[in-house]
Amino acid sequence: MSSRSSGAAAAAAAPPPPPPGRPGMSCRKTVEKWKGHIIRQLRRRDKCQHAMFRDVIQRYSHLLEKTTFTKGLLHSAARLPSGDSGVSVSDWLSQNKDLKEITGELAYQVVALQQDVKTRECVLQNQYSRITELRCRLSEAEAEQQNLESQITQVQEGNCVLKKEYDALLQRHRVVDETFRQEKMRGCRLLEEMIHWKKQAAAHMNNCNERRSRAREANIQRELQTAANNPVNIDLSVSPVNEIQDKPERRQTRPFRSASATSPRILNSIKELFERKRRGSSVCGVEEDLVSRVGVCVAARLPVRALHVLEAHEQGINAVKFSTTLLATGGTDRLIKLWDIKAGMLHHRGTLDGSTEGITSIEFDPVGMRILAASYDKSALLWRLDGSVLQVTLTGHSRKVTSAKFKCGLHQVVTGSADRTVKLWDVHRAACIHTIAAESYCSDLVCCDNCIVSGHYDSKIRLWDTRAATCSQELPAQGKVTSLDICPAQRQLLSCCRDDCLQLMDLRRSNPRLCFRADGFKCGSDSTKAVFSPDGGFVAAGSADGAVYIWNVSTGNLEARLPDQHSSSISAVAWSLSGDYVVSVDKSRRAILWSDI
C-alpha cells in the first residue's frame, strides 16, 4: 500500500513528458516554469492560510505521531513468538485492548478534525467570496473616487476661471467706483460753480437794478430841482379854448402852470420812488404790479381748416400756450420758442433756453411780461420776455416737475411733481414757502382764489386749501388724470383722463356735470392736455390718431373734428384769447395753426 502511494506520489511529482517535436531544452524550461509557478502558489497559500490551519496541522501531526507509534507496537506484537516471548498472553491481550481503545479514540479525533477542516474550509470559502465582493466594491469605490477627483479637478478649474473673472470685475468695479467718485466730485464742483455764477448774476442784476433806481432818483431830483428853480408864468388873458375855436388850423398848445412840490405829477413821482425803495432789489419791476387790460372774447369761433403747418422744434413738442400777443411752445429739445401770428402764419420771434432737460408745461403771467415753465430737470424756470434771459430757477423737487402755474398774482408760483408733492414758491426769494404731500403722482394743477386743484394718477382730483395747506376735498375721476383746465369764470373744471374721456365738473357743487367722449378719440399719453375756449363755450383736446376734437359745453355734443394734419399723437392744444385761432402740437415736432378764416 505504501509502495503504491509512493509510486503515485512520484508519478505526480514527476514532470509531464515533453511534447513531441520539441527539443529537450524547451521542455526543461517549461517544467521549471510550471514547477516554479506551483511553488509560488503553495508559498502564497501557506502564507495566507498558515495561521488559519495552525491548530489543525498541529493536531494532525500529533495524530500522525500516535498512529506511527501504534503501528510500531502492532508490528512488534505481530513478530513476537507465541511461547518464546517473555510477555504473557494476557499481558499482550491487555496491551492490545488498550491499543484498540487508543486507536478508536484517535480515529474519533481524526473524524472530528476532518469535520473541523470542512467547517473551516466553508468559512474560508465564505471569506473568499466576501473578499471578492469587497474587491468589487473596492474597484467601484476606486472608480467613483477617480470620477470625483475628475469632478474636483473640473470644479477647481472652473473656480480658477470664476476667480479670474471676479478679479477682473472687481478691478472694473474699482475703476467705475473711482470714476463715479470723480464724477460726483466734479458734479459737486460744477454745482458750486453754478451756484457761484448764479450768485454773481444775481449780484450783478441787483447792482444793475440799484444803478437804475439811483439814476431814476437822480432824474427825479433834477426834475424837482428844475421845477423848483424855473417857474413858468401863464398868460391868463387868452383862453385856450377860444383860441382853438377861433383858429382851428393853429397847433394846439398845452397850458402850463408853475411847478411846485404839490403838483400831482411830482407827488406821483415821489410815490413811485418810495415804492421802488420798498421793493428793494426784487426781480419784479413796477409794471409787474399792474394788471394790463386783456381783451374779452365774446364768442369763440370753431376752427375749420389748417392755416399753417410747420416743424416748430427739433424734437417732440410737449406744451403750447397763448398770451395776449404771443404763442409759446416747449419741447423735448429743452427750448421754449416764441411765435407771432401774422397773416395767418406763425413767425418765429425768439427762443428761451436755460433748461437742462425737456419742457413739460408753459404758463404766462397775467400781464404777459414773464413766462414760467416746468422741466424734466426737477425744476421750474422763469424768464422775462423783454430780456429773454433766465431769471429764476426754482429747485427742490426730487423728480420731474409736471406743471408750474402762477398763483393769483405775480409773486407766487405753484408746482406739481412726479415726486407726489405740490410746492408753493416765493418768486422774490426763489424759495419754497410750503410743501404739500400728495398721495399720488401729480400730473397737472390749476389755481383759483384760495384753492389749488391737482390731478393725480390714482384717478382723483384733490382741492387744497392754501390758507390751511390741507386737502379740503377729493373728487373722483374717470381714470388716470393727464391734465386740468379751469374756465374763465373759475366755476367749471375740465379734466382729461386716460380712459379716453374729458370730464367737466362744477366747482361750486363739487360734482361731475358732463362727460365728453367721441368715436376715435383716444388719450395718447400721460401728459395729453385739454383746454377750454376763452369764452368757456367749447372744450378741445388732441387724440392719439392725430385729430383735434372739439365739444360744445352746453350740449355735450361733438362740434368739430380736425383731421389729416398730424402724423402722430397730439400732446397739447391751445386756444387764443381772442377766440380766433387754435394751435395743436404733437410728438413729431409739428405745430399747426387752425382757424375759420
Side-chain angles (χ1 to χ4, degrees), residues 542-562:
S543 174
D545 60 358
V548 179
Y549 291 78
I550 301 176
W551 290 269
N552 191 307
V553 173
S554 300
T555 62
N557 297 328
L558 182 66
E559 294 288 342
R561 182 181 182 274
L562 309 177

Side-chain angles (χ1 to χ4, degrees), residues 66-86:
K66 286 184 178 182
T67 303
T68 305
F69 177 73
T70 303
K71 286 181 178 182
L73 289 177
L74 291 174
H75 184 69
S76 62
R79 288 184 301 172
L80 287 175
S82 59
D84 296 337
S85 171

Side-chain angles (χ1 to χ4, degrees), residues 217-238:
E217 292 175 5
N219 291 333
I220 292 172
Q221 289 179 359
R222 284 196 297 270
E223 289 179 2
L224 290 173
Q225 188 67 28
T226 302
N229 295 332
N230 298 322
V232 178
N233 295 324
I234 300 175
D235 188 4
L236 300 178
S237 59
V238 179

Side-chain angles (χ1 to χ4, degrees), residues 53-68 113:
F53 295 97
R54 183 180 297 170
D55 297 337
V56 177
I57 292 171
Q58 289 178 359
R59 290 182 182 182
Y60 184 75
S61 300
H62 184 65
L63 182 60
L64 287 177
E65 289 176 358
K66 286 184 178 182
T67 303
T68 305
L113 290 174

Side-chain angles (χ1 to χ4, degrees), residues 211-429:
R211 285 197 300 270
R212 283 195 288 267
S213 298
R214 287 199 298 267
R216 292 193 188 99
E217 292 175 5
N219 291 333
I220 292 172
Q221 289 179 359
R222 284 196 297 270
E223 289 179 2
L224 290 173
Q225 188 67 28
T226 302
N229 295 332
N230 298 322
V232 178
N233 295 324
I234 300 175
D235 188 4
L236 300 178
S237 59
V238 179
S239 174
V241 178
N242 297 331
E243 186 175 357
I244 292 172
Q245 293 177 352
D246 295 339
K247 298 181 179 181
E249 73 280 0
R250 186 176 176 181
R251 185 179 179 182
Q252 181 180 0
T253 58
R254 187 178 63 177
F256 290 91
R257 62 179 178 179
S258 60
S260 63
T262 60
S263 173
R265 184 171 63 87
I266 302 301
L267 290 177
N268 293 334
S269 301
I270 296 173
K271 182 179 179 181
E272 182 182 355
L273 176 62
F274 280 107
E275 287 178 354
R276 289 198 187 97
K277 287 184 177 180
R278 178 172 54 85
R279 282 191 296 267
S281 59
S282 169
V283 296
C284 302
V286 179
E287 65 277 1
E288 297 169 358
D289 296 328
L290 303 175
V291 178
S292 62
R293 297 179 61 187
V294 178
V296 178
C297 176
V298 178
R301 295 185 293 183
L302 287 175
V304 295
R305 63 188 184 90
L307 298 181
H308 190 199
V309 179
L310 77 160
E311 302 289 335
H313 286 258
E314 296 180 358
Q315 298 180 18
I317 307 174
N318 301 324
V320 60
K321 195 72 175 181
F322 269 103
S323 72
T324 55
T325 59
L326 289 177
L327 173 71
T329 57
T332 312
D333 56 0
R334 302 175 292 179
L335 299 177
I336 294 178
K337 292 190 177 183
L338 304 177
W339 310 86
D340 287 325
I341 299 178
K342 296 179 180 179
M345 297 182 65
L346 295 174
H347 296 273
H348 184 247
R349 178 173 175 177
T351 300
L352 304 178
D353 57 359
S355 175
T356 58
E357 294 188 28
I359 303 297
T360 58
S361 74
I362 298 173
E363 178 78 0
F364 284 97
D365 67 358
V367 298
M369 296 296 298
R370 294 180 297 175
I371 188 169
L372 177 67
S375 173
Y376 279 96
D377 63 1
K378 309 173 188 177
S379 67
L381 305 102
L382 184 67
W383 288 268
R384 284 185 62 89
L385 296 179
D386 54 0
S388 299
V389 178
L390 181 61
Q391 194 174 25
V392 177
T393 302
L394 306 176
T395 57
H397 285 286
S398 59
R399 295 181 65 183
K400 69 176 181 179
V401 180
T402 56
S403 181
K405 300 294 176 62
F406 287 98
K407 181 183 175 298
C408 301
L410 305 176
H411 309 312
Q412 288 186 350
V413 168
V414 181
T415 58
S417 172
D419 62 3
R420 301 184 179 184
T421 60
V422 176
K423 291 181 180 291
L424 182 63
W425 304 82
D426 183 0
V427 178
H428 285 171
R429 296 181 293 138

